[in-house]
Amino acid sequence: MGCRVAVVGGTGVVGEEMLNVLRDRKFPLDELRVFASPKSAGRKVKCGKKQATVEEIRDGSFKGVQIALLAVDKELAKKIAPKAAAEGAVVIDNSSSFRMDKDVPLVVPEINPRKAFDHKGIIANPNCSTAIMLMAVYPVYKLAGVRRIVAATYQAVSGAGRKAMDELPAQLAEVMKGGKPKPEAFPHRIAFNIIPRIGSFDSAGYTTEEVKMQNETRKIIGDPRIKVTTTCVRIPVMRAHSIAANIETEKKVTAEQVREALASAPGVDLEPLKDVYPMPLDASGKYNVLVGRIREDASQENGIDLFVSGDQLLKGAALNAVQIAELLVQEGLHG
Ligand SMILES: NC(=O)c1ccc[n+]([C@@H]2O[C@H](COP(=O)([O-])OP(=O)(O)OC[C@H]3O[C@@H](n4cnc5c(N)ncnc54)[C@H](OP(=O)(O)O)[C@@H]3O)[C@@H](O)[C@H]2O)c1
């Protein structure tokens, strides 16, 4: 069955990857519509043999669209998603607007694929660091249960969109010339620096990104008992997020048992034992996440440490969204 698909935000970094992933995975497209802001209207974009002219969104834009992949900011998504759903599309939204809404499934196809069919018009794609971390944590959960996760992230600048992606090389060039660049996309200079803040702070001192990882982990795995604490850090890397995770399991497991579980986990490339470990440069452009540095935690009885790198534009956004669309299409959009 072919499908009529709209990519909303198709000129942004995630939207462009959605078009690439649709093409690479030979998604059965009957028709492709691409939407962006009025400034991009009229631009031509390609997705394999299909070409689309970028349109601005109007009333009725989504009539006849079966799946709308949204890659716009959260305020815009809040307006566009219900409108597209009311006009008949199933929306797969990349923003954080609907993820914790009880009527909206939050789906990672390798973990909770059947949830996709519980939708009422909107399905949410998870936070990028959460999706990447859970690709490594869920096989451990299935093996031994998980009581608690303590994680620190190392997040690429492209996670904050095109403007942020342009800011890193511009700042690096200016600093090398002795200049003092003014930060715009980030709260501080990112060139030759790291910023332990992604999003805004709550009264407990957590950032919005950290709270997303905590809540979304419980919702995706479907276990409200899992305790999660995170520190999210922006680093001067262009693409692919990494996460160092310490996992307290219910049952004691060895590093070898965890390696075995991860070796057969879908969407995971297990790095060899010694000199090869996950790095963002190697994870960039890959569909699978890279997992390595697996070891038993020397500080507690039931603990595993691991390191994961994954392309947040792919598994953390575009690929995961297209995988959800594929699930819908495989089951005739209904399940
Ligand atoms: N970047 C990541 O790694 C990542 C990962 C997971 C989730 N997300 C989420 O994905 C969403 C998109 O992020 P991004 O990084 O791709 O941002 P981006 O590069 O800034 O792209 C934003 C897109 O929104 C479009 N847009 C702006 N105003 C619009 C309007 N009035 N009507 C229709 N489209 C409009 C832009 O079109 P123009 O080009 O015409 O301005 C552009 O295509 C965000 O919710 C973000 O939180 C991002």
Side-chain angles (χ1 to χ4, degrees), residues 6-262:
V7 176
V8 184
T11 54
V13 281
V14 172
E16 265 183 14
E17 287 300 339
M18 284 173 166
L19 294 167
N20 293 338
V21 174
L22 288 168
R23 180 198 63 215
D24 291 349
R25 291 174 72 92
K26 300 191 172 43
F27 188 90
L29 280 178
D30 268 354
E31 192 188 333
L32 174 70
R33 309 268 302 275
V34 176
F35 296 94
S37 78
K39 83 170 171 10
S40 303
R43 253 178 69 182
K44 304 270 187 238
V45 294
K46 278 190 84 174
C47 176
K49 287 187 184 136
K50 291 255 182 277
Q51 201 187 48
T53 303
V54 177
E55 303 171 61
E56 52 182 300
I57 297 165
R58 300 178 197 282
D59 284 342
S61 283
F62 295 97
K63 290 215 170 102
V65 170
Q66 291 170 296
I67 296 179
L69 299 168
L70 257 62
V72 294
D73 72 33
K74 63 176 192 241
E75 276 72 32
L76 214 51
K78 231 179 255 172
K79 291 188 205 144
I80 297 171
K83 178 183 163 73
E87 290 178 9
V90 179
V91 174
I92 302 171
D93 178 40
N94 271 268
S95 81
S96 57
S97 286
F98 303 97
R99 290 179 190 148
M100 293 311 295
D101 185 327
K102 68 174 175 35
D103 289 331
V104 175
L106 180 63
V107 178
V108 175
E110 291 84 352
I111 300 175
N112 60 348
R114 297 304 309 169
K115 285 279 175 202
F117 299 100
D118 293 343
H119 72 81
K120 296 190 165 75
I122 303 174
I123 300 169
N125 215 41
N127 164 268
C128 41
S129 296
T130 311
I132 291 164
M133 177 176 81
L134 293 189
M135 290 298 289
V137 167
Y138 186 62
V140 181
Y141 178 84
K142 282 200 297 184
L143 179 71
V146 169
R147 275 196 204 127
R148 179 171 181 247
I149 303 166
V150 182
T153 70
Y154 305 76
Q155 297 186 217
V157 291
S158 55
R162 180 148 345 262
K163 264 177 71 182
M165 221 170 153
D166 294 341
E167 187 154 311
L168 174 61
Q171 282 191 356
L172 287 169
E174 199 176 333
V175 174
M176 292 304 283
K177 283 190 286 182
K180 286 200 171 139
K182 192 169 143 288
E184 283 174 17
F186 298 111
H188 300 278
R189 194 180 97 186
I190 187 67
F192 302 108
N193 195 18
I194 66 168
I195 306 173
R197 170 195 178 169
I198 300 181
S200 51
F201 289 109
D202 69 11
S203 57
Y206 280 111
T207 64
T208 40
E209 185 83 351
E210 289 158 359
V211 173
K212 284 176 202 170
M213 287 187 76
Q214 296 163 14
N215 293 335
E216 292 181 28
T217 291
R218 289 184 278 267
K219 181 165 175 178
I220 294 164
I221 294 187
D223 187 341
R225 297 166 308 166
I226 303 175
K227 294 189 169 73
V228 188
T229 184
T230 46
T231 303
C232 291
V233 183
R234 186 77 64 191
I235 62 168
V237 155
M238 203 50 122
R239 183 166 173 155
H241 291 352
S242 304
I243 298 111
N246 176 266
I247 306 162
E248 186 192 343
T249 52
E250 299 268 0
K251 285 192 298 187
K252 179 156 180 60
V253 274
T254 63
E256 194 42 44
Q257 287 172 309
V258 170
R259 290 186 65 78
E260 269 170 31
L262 283 160

